[in-house]
Amino acid sequence: FIYNRVLNGIYLESASGELGVLKKLIKESNSWCIEDIDINLEKIYQTLVSSSISQNQKFFRWQTLKRFLQYIKSPYLRKMDMYCMEYDTTRSSCERYIPDDVAHQFDNVMKNEIDIPLHYRTIYWTLRLYPNRITEVLSTNIDCIRHYEGTTYTLTLRVYKTAGSQEGTPKILLIDTAEPLQAFYLDLLLQQQAVAREIFEKYPEM
């Protein structure tokens, strides 16, 4: 199942997560007989509906089960349409964001607490200033920083398509060190770059 999902362009971590969801469904509903692939859809559905997780998490788990049944060509697949499990589109997008006062507290900690490891601070400020997927930030090339002109530098970040691991056109961003926060961020990047170069020199096989 995981191999099939990866072949269809899904990240390995996401495919493994889907397998974990299936495991939870089996454990929580106690309604799956592996020997003959006998599934009590009604019990699984009721277990999901009565759980305390969000509606969208219920929908995600239900869809994961559906994909698995499609993969094994199960006759139970047709019966899933008898049950209503909808995605919650009424949720306000602002509910997903960290409140400003909390974000400012994080900013203060990540800027002033030098005991926090450099790589954590660099990742935090990259995501804070230039929102990207964490996988794109972690896969940034070591030579991602280039001087452009004057006080301006460029930062190149990788971009991956939403549905899989295919790499898209890199994102080139400007860092203007005339701005104090961006100057601070560039300093973090240069420190992290120096550490990375030292590691590569010590372990060239990486």
Side-chain angles (χ1 to χ4, degrees), residues 82-104:
M82 298 169 52
Y83 302 92
C84 179
M85 184 68 72
E86 297 181 345
Y87 188 82
D88 182 12
T89 59
T90 62
R91 182 183 174 190
S92 172
S93 60
C94 66
E95 294 177 13
R96 305 176 187 177
Y97 293 94
I98 299 173
D100 286 343
D101 59 329
V102 176
H104 291 322

PDB file of all heavy atoms in Angstrom, residues 82-104:
ATOM      1  N   MET A  82     -22.589   4.721   1.290  1.00  0.00           N
ATOM      2  CA  MET A  82     -23.820   4.741   2.094  1.00  0.00           C
ATOM      3  C   MET A  82     -23.668   5.639   3.316  1.00  0.00           C
ATOM      4  O   MET A  82     -24.656   6.031   3.938  1.00  0.00           O
ATOM      5  CB  MET A  82     -24.173   3.313   2.547  1.00  0.00           C
ATOM      6  CG  MET A  82     -24.449   2.349   1.405  1.00  0.00           C
ATOM      7  SD  MET A  82     -24.532   0.628   1.962  1.00  0.00           S
ATOM      8  CE  MET A  82     -25.731   0.737   3.304  1.00  0.00           C
ATOM      9  N   TYR A  83     -22.425   5.965   3.654  1.00  0.00           N
ATOM     10  CA  TYR A  83     -22.164   6.753   4.859  1.00  0.00           C
ATOM     11  C   TYR A  83     -21.735   8.173   4.490  1.00  0.00           C
ATOM     12  O   TYR A  83     -21.006   8.373   3.519  1.00  0.00           O
ATOM     13  CB  TYR A  83     -21.074   6.085   5.702  1.00  0.00           C
ATOM     14  CG  TYR A  83     -21.420   4.673   6.111  1.00  0.00           C
ATOM     15  CD1 TYR A  83     -21.028   3.591   5.320  1.00  0.00           C
ATOM     16  CD2 TYR A  83     -22.141   4.425   7.272  1.00  0.00           C
ATOM     17  CE1 TYR A  83     -21.352   2.291   5.686  1.00  0.00           C
ATOM     18  CE2 TYR A  83     -22.460   3.126   7.646  1.00  0.00           C
ATOM     19  CZ  TYR A  83     -22.067   2.074   6.847  1.00  0.00           C
ATOM     20  OH  TYR A  83     -22.388   0.792   7.209  1.00  0.00           O
ATOM     21  N   CYS A  84     -22.197   9.109   5.277  1.00  0.00           N
ATOM     22  CA  CYS A  84     -21.883  10.513   5.005  1.00  0.00           C
ATOM     23  C   CYS A  84     -20.747  10.988   5.921  1.00  0.00           C
ATOM     24  O   CYS A  84     -20.905  11.058   7.139  1.00  0.00           O
ATOM     25  CB  CYS A  84     -23.130  11.380   5.219  1.00  0.00           C
ATOM     26  SG  CYS A  84     -22.846  13.137   4.924  1.00  0.00           S
ATOM     27  N   MET A  85     -19.612  11.285   5.319  1.00  0.00           N
ATOM     28  CA  MET A  85     -18.477  11.822   6.070  1.00  0.00           C
ATOM     29  C   MET A  85     -17.946  13.006   5.274  1.00  0.00           C
ATOM     30  O   MET A  85     -17.236  12.841   4.289  1.00  0.00           O
ATOM     31  CB  MET A  85     -17.390  10.754   6.250  1.00  0.00           C
ATOM     32  CG  MET A  85     -16.228  11.205   7.110  1.00  0.00           C
ATOM     33  SD  MET A  85     -16.685  11.446   8.849  1.00  0.00           S
ATOM     34  CE  MET A  85     -16.907   9.735   9.370  1.00  0.00           C
ATOM     35  N   GLU A  86     -18.316  14.213   5.670  1.00  0.00           N
ATOM     36  CA  GLU A  86     -18.001  15.397   4.886  1.00  0.00           C
ATOM     37  C   GLU A  86     -16.864  16.206   5.494  1.00  0.00           C
ATOM     38  O   GLU A  86     -16.634  16.174   6.700  1.00  0.00           O
ATOM     39  CB  GLU A  86     -19.243  16.286   4.748  1.00  0.00           C
ATOM     40  CG  GLU A  86     -20.387  15.613   3.995  1.00  0.00           C
ATOM     41  CD  GLU A  86     -21.587  16.524   3.855  1.00  0.00           C
ATOM     42  OE1 GLU A  86     -21.649  17.547   4.579  1.00  0.00           O
ATOM     43  OE2 GLU A  86     -22.477  16.218   3.038  1.00  0.00           O
ATOM     44  N   TYR A  87     -16.196  16.935   4.609  1.00  0.00           N
ATOM     45  CA  TYR A  87     -15.130  17.846   5.033  1.00  0.00           C
ATOM     46  C   TYR A  87     -15.755  19.137   5.538  1.00  0.00           C
ATOM     47  O   TYR A  87     -16.696  19.663   4.936  1.00  0.00           O
ATOM     48  CB  TYR A  87     -14.200  18.137   3.853  1.00  0.00           C
ATOM     49  CG  TYR A  87     -12.951  18.904   4.212  1.00  0.00           C
ATOM     50  CD1 TYR A  87     -11.851  18.244   4.744  1.00  0.00           C
ATOM     51  CD2 TYR A  87     -12.883  20.276   4.032  1.00  0.00           C
ATOM     52  CE1 TYR A  87     -10.698  18.929   5.072  1.00  0.00           C
ATOM     53  CE2 TYR A  87     -11.733  20.981   4.360  1.00  0.00           C
ATOM     54  CZ  TYR A  87     -10.646  20.299   4.877  1.00  0.00           C
ATOM     55  OH  TYR A  87      -9.511  20.987   5.208  1.00  0.00           O
ATOM     56  N   ASP A  88     -15.241  19.666   6.640  1.00  0.00           N
ATOM     57  CA  ASP A  88     -15.781  20.891   7.231  1.00  0.00           C
ATOM     58  C   ASP A  88     -15.194  22.111   6.535  1.00  0.00           C
ATOM     59  O   ASP A  88     -14.044  22.473   6.753  1.00  0.00           O
ATOM     60  CB  ASP A  88     -15.465  20.923   8.736  1.00  0.00           C
ATOM     61  CG  ASP A  88     -16.048  22.153   9.411  1.00  0.00           C
ATOM     62  OD1 ASP A  88     -16.875  22.841   8.768  1.00  0.00           O
ATOM     63  OD2 ASP A  88     -15.694  22.426  10.564  1.00  0.00           O
ATOM     64  N   THR A  89     -16.009  22.735   5.673  1.00  0.00           N
ATOM     65  CA  THR A  89     -15.556  23.920   4.941  1.00  0.00           C
ATOM     66  C   THR A  89     -15.958  25.215   5.630  1.00  0.00           C
ATOM     67  O   THR A  89     -15.652  26.306   5.150  1.00  0.00           O
ATOM     68  CB  THR A  89     -16.148  23.932   3.520  1.00  0.00           C
ATOM     69  OG1 THR A  89     -17.591  23.923   3.611  1.00  0.00           O
ATOM     70  CG2 THR A  89     -15.689  22.719   2.736  1.00  0.00           C
ATOM     71  N   THR A  90     -16.634  25.109   6.768  1.00  0.00           N
ATOM     72  CA  THR A  90     -17.121  26.311   7.461  1.00  0.00           C
ATOM     73  C   THR A  90     -16.106  26.860   8.440  1.00  0.00           C
ATOM     74  O   THR A  90     -16.260  27.965   8.952  1.00  0.00           O
ATOM     75  CB  THR A  90     -18.418  26.005   8.228  1.00  0.00           C
ATOM     76  OG1 THR A  90     -18.152  25.013   9.244  1.00  0.00           O
ATOM     77  CG2 THR A  90     -19.481  25.466   7.279  1.00  0.00           C
ATOM     78  N   ARG A  91     -15.059  26.102   8.706  1.00  0.00           N
ATOM     79  CA  ARG A  91     -14.066  26.523   9.683  1.00  0.00           C
ATOM     80  C   ARG A  91     -13.340  27.774   9.202  1.00  0.00           C
ATOM     81  O   ARG A  91     -12.858  27.841   8.085  1.00  0.00           O
ATOM     82  CB  ARG A  91     -13.055  25.396   9.914  1.00  0.00           C
ATOM     83  CG  ARG A  91     -11.998  25.719  10.963  1.00  0.00           C
ATOM     84  CD  ARG A  91     -11.020  24.563  11.061  1.00  0.00           C
ATOM     85  NE  ARG A  91      -9.926  24.886  11.947  1.00  0.00           N
ATOM     86  CZ  ARG A  91      -8.829  24.142  12.067  1.00  0.00           C
ATOM     87  NH1 ARG A  91      -8.704  23.051  11.370  1.00  0.00           N
ATOM     88  NH2 ARG A  91      -7.868  24.496  12.884  1.00  0.00           N
ATOM     89  N   SER A  92     -13.270  28.763  10.036  1.00  0.00           N
ATOM     90  CA  SER A  92     -12.609  30.012   9.678  1.00  0.00           C
ATOM     91  C   SER A  92     -11.105  29.790   9.548  1.00  0.00           C
ATOM     92  O   SER A  92     -10.482  29.139  10.389  1.00  0.00           O
ATOM     93  CB  SER A  92     -12.869  31.079  10.741  1.00  0.00           C
ATOM     94  OG  SER A  92     -12.090  32.225  10.509  1.00  0.00           O
ATOM     95  N   SER A  93     -10.523  30.327   8.471  1.00  0.00           N
ATOM     96  CA  SER A  93      -9.092  30.134   8.239  1.00  0.00           C
ATOM     97  C   SER A  93      -8.251  30.763   9.341  1.00  0.00           C
ATOM     98  O   SER A  93      -7.134  30.318   9.619  1.00  0.00           O
ATOM     99  CB  SER A  93      -8.690  30.729   6.884  1.00  0.00           C
ATOM    100  OG  SER A  93      -8.977  32.114   6.852  1.00  0.00           O
ATOM    101  N   CYS A  94      -8.788  31.810  10.004  1.00  0.00           N
ATOM    102  CA  CYS A  94      -8.008  32.480  11.041  1.00  0.00           C
ATOM    103  C   CYS A  94      -7.800  31.590  12.254  1.00  0.00           C
ATOM    104  O   CYS A  94      -6.908  31.827  13.063  1.00  0.00           O
ATOM    105  CB  CYS A  94      -8.678  33.799  11.437  1.00  0.00           C
ATOM    106  SG  CYS A  94     -10.274  33.603  12.245  1.00  0.00           S
ATOM    107  N   GLU A  95      -8.635  30.538  12.402  1.00  0.00           N
ATOM    108  CA  GLU A  95      -8.484  29.632  13.537  1.00  0.00           C
ATOM    109  C   GLU A  95      -7.188  28.832  13.442  1.00  0.00           C
ATOM    110  O   GLU A  95      -6.725  28.281  14.429  1.00  0.00           O
ATOM    111  CB  GLU A  95      -9.676  28.670  13.592  1.00  0.00           C
ATOM    112  CG  GLU A  95     -11.013  29.353  13.883  1.00  0.00           C
ATOM    113  CD  GLU A  95     -12.154  28.369  13.865  1.00  0.00           C
ATOM    114  OE1 GLU A  95     -11.877  27.146  13.867  1.00  0.00           O
ATOM    115  OE2 GLU A  95     -13.314  28.794  13.855  1.00  0.00           O
ATOM    116  N   ARG A  96      -6.623  28.760  12.249  1.00  0.00           N
ATOM    117  CA  ARG A  96      -5.429  27.953  12.048  1.00  0.00           C
ATOM    118  C   ARG A  96      -4.160  28.713  12.421  1.00  0.00           C
ATOM    119  O   ARG A  96      -3.088  28.128  12.463  1.00  0.00           O
ATOM    120  CB  ARG A  96      -5.335  27.515  10.583  1.00  0.00           C
ATOM    121  CG  ARG A  96      -6.581  26.796  10.080  1.00  0.00           C
ATOM    122  CD  ARG A  96      -6.438  26.477   8.605  1.00  0.00           C
ATOM    123  NE  ARG A  96      -7.674  25.939   8.054  1.00  0.00           N
ATOM    124  CZ  ARG A  96      -7.844  25.622   6.771  1.00  0.00           C
ATOM    125  NH1 ARG A  96      -6.847  25.797   5.926  1.00  0.00           N
ATOM    126  NH2 ARG A  96      -8.984  25.152   6.342  1.00  0.00           N
ATOM    127  N   TYR A  97      -4.270  30.003  12.624  1.00  0.00           N
ATOM    128  CA  TYR A  97      -3.090  30.820  12.849  1.00  0.00           C
ATOM    129  C   TYR A  97      -2.807  31.024  14.336  1.00  0.00           C
ATOM    130  O   TYR A  97      -3.726  31.076  15.163  1.00  0.00           O
ATOM    131  CB  TYR A  97      -3.247  32.174  12.161  1.00  0.00           C
ATOM    132  CG  TYR A  97      -3.269  32.088  10.658  1.00  0.00           C
ATOM    133  CD1 TYR A  97      -4.469  32.008   9.968  1.00  0.00           C
ATOM    134  CD2 TYR A  97      -2.079  32.048   9.924  1.00  0.00           C
ATOM    135  CE1 TYR A  97      -4.492  31.911   8.577  1.00  0.00           C
ATOM    136  CE2 TYR A  97      -2.091  31.951   8.544  1.00  0.00           C
ATOM    137  CZ  TYR A  97      -3.305  31.885   7.874  1.00  0.00           C
ATOM    138  OH  TYR A  97      -3.314  31.771   6.511  1.00  0.00           O
ATOM    139  N   ILE A  98      -1.527  31.125  14.657  1.00  0.00           N
ATOM    140  CA  ILE A  98      -1.114  31.416  16.030  1.00  0.00           C
ATOM    141  C   ILE A  98      -1.429  32.885  16.307  1.00  0.00           C
ATOM    142  O   ILE A  98      -1.111  33.752  15.491  1.00  0.00           O
ATOM    143  CB  ILE A  98       0.394  31.155  16.203  1.00  0.00           C
ATOM    144  CG1 ILE A  98       0.705  29.683  15.922  1.00  0.00           C
ATOM    145  CG2 ILE A  98       0.866  31.556  17.594  1.00  0.00           C
ATOM    146  CD1 ILE A  98       2.182  29.375  15.917  1.00  0.00           C
ATOM    147  N   PRO A  99      -2.062  33.195  17.437  1.00  0.00           N
ATOM    148  CA  PRO A  99      -2.363  34.600  17.763  1.00  0.00           C
ATOM    149  C   PRO A  99      -1.102  35.455  17.753  1.00  0.00           C
ATOM    150  O   PRO A  99      -0.010  34.982  18.072  1.00  0.00           O
ATOM    151  CB  PRO A  99      -2.942  34.502  19.180  1.00  0.00           C
ATOM    152  CG  PRO A  99      -3.484  33.110  19.275  1.00  0.00           C
ATOM    153  CD  PRO A  99      -2.561  32.263  18.454  1.00  0.00           C
ATOM    154  N   ASP A 100      -1.249  36.731  17.372  1.00  0.00           N
ATOM    155  CA  ASP A 100      -0.096  37.616  17.225  1.00  0.00           C
ATOM    156  C   ASP A 100       0.727  37.733  18.497  1.00  0.00           C
ATOM    157  O   ASP A 100       1.963  37.740  18.459  1.00  0.00           O
ATOM    158  CB  ASP A 100      -0.559  39.013  16.790  1.00  0.00           C
ATOM    159  CG  ASP A 100      -0.991  39.037  15.330  1.00  0.00           C
ATOM    160  OD1 ASP A 100      -0.640  38.090  14.599  1.00  0.00           O
ATOM    161  OD2 ASP A 100      -1.674  39.997  14.935  1.00  0.00           O
ATOM    162  N   ASP A 101       0.043  37.826  19.651  1.00  0.00           N
ATOM    163  CA  ASP A 101       0.791  38.001  20.892  1.00  0.00           C
ATOM    164  C   ASP A 101       1.641  36.770  21.211  1.00  0.00           C
ATOM    165  O   ASP A 101       2.761  36.879  21.717  1.00  0.00           O
ATOM    166  CB  ASP A 101      -0.161  38.322  22.056  1.00  0.00           C
ATOM    167  CG  ASP A 101      -1.195  37.230  22.290  1.00  0.00           C
ATOM    168  OD1 ASP A 101      -1.593  36.564  21.309  1.00  0.00           O
ATOM    169  OD2 ASP A 101      -1.606  37.037  23.450  1.00  0.00           O
ATOM    170  N   VAL A 102       1.118  35.592  20.873  1.00  0.00           N
ATOM    171  CA  VAL A 102       1.879  34.360  21.083  1.00  0.00           C
ATOM    172  C   VAL A 102       3.049  34.294  20.097  1.00  0.00           C
ATOM    173  O   VAL A 102       4.168  33.911  20.462  1.00  0.00           O
ATOM    174  CB  VAL A 102       0.977  33.118  20.923  1.00  0.00           C
ATOM    175  CG1 VAL A 102       1.797  31.833  21.055  1.00  0.00           C
ATOM    176  CG2 VAL A 102      -0.153  33.142  21.945  1.00  0.00           C
ATOM    177  N   ALA A 103       2.802  34.678  18.842  1.00  0.00           N
ATOM    178  CA  ALA A 103       3.858  34.679  17.828  1.00  0.00           C
ATOM    179  C   ALA A 103       5.000  35.606  18.233  1.00  0.00           C
ATOM    180  O   ALA A 103       6.177  35.272  18.050  1.00  0.00           O
ATOM    181  CB  ALA A 103       3.278  35.101  16.479  1.00  0.00           C
ATOM    182  N   HIS A 104       4.661  36.769  18.806  1.00  0.00           N
ATOM    183  CA  HIS A 104       5.699  37.715  19.235  1.00  0.00           C
ATOM    184  C   HIS A 104       6.535  37.135  20.375  1.00  0.00           C
ATOM    185  O   HIS A 104       7.737  37.401  20.469  1.00  0.00           O
ATOM    186  CB  HIS A 104       5.057  39.029  19.671  1.00  0.00           C
ATOM    187  CG  HIS A 104       4.456  39.799  18.526  1.00  0.00           C
ATOM    188  ND1 HIS A 104       5.041  39.859  17.283  1.00  0.00           N
ATOM    189  CD2 HIS A 104       3.310  40.547  18.444  1.00  0.00           C
ATOM    190  CE1 HIS A 104       4.297  40.600  16.487  1.00  0.00           C
ATOM    191  NE2 HIS A 104       3.235  41.022  17.159  1.00  0.00           N
TER     192      HIS A 104
END
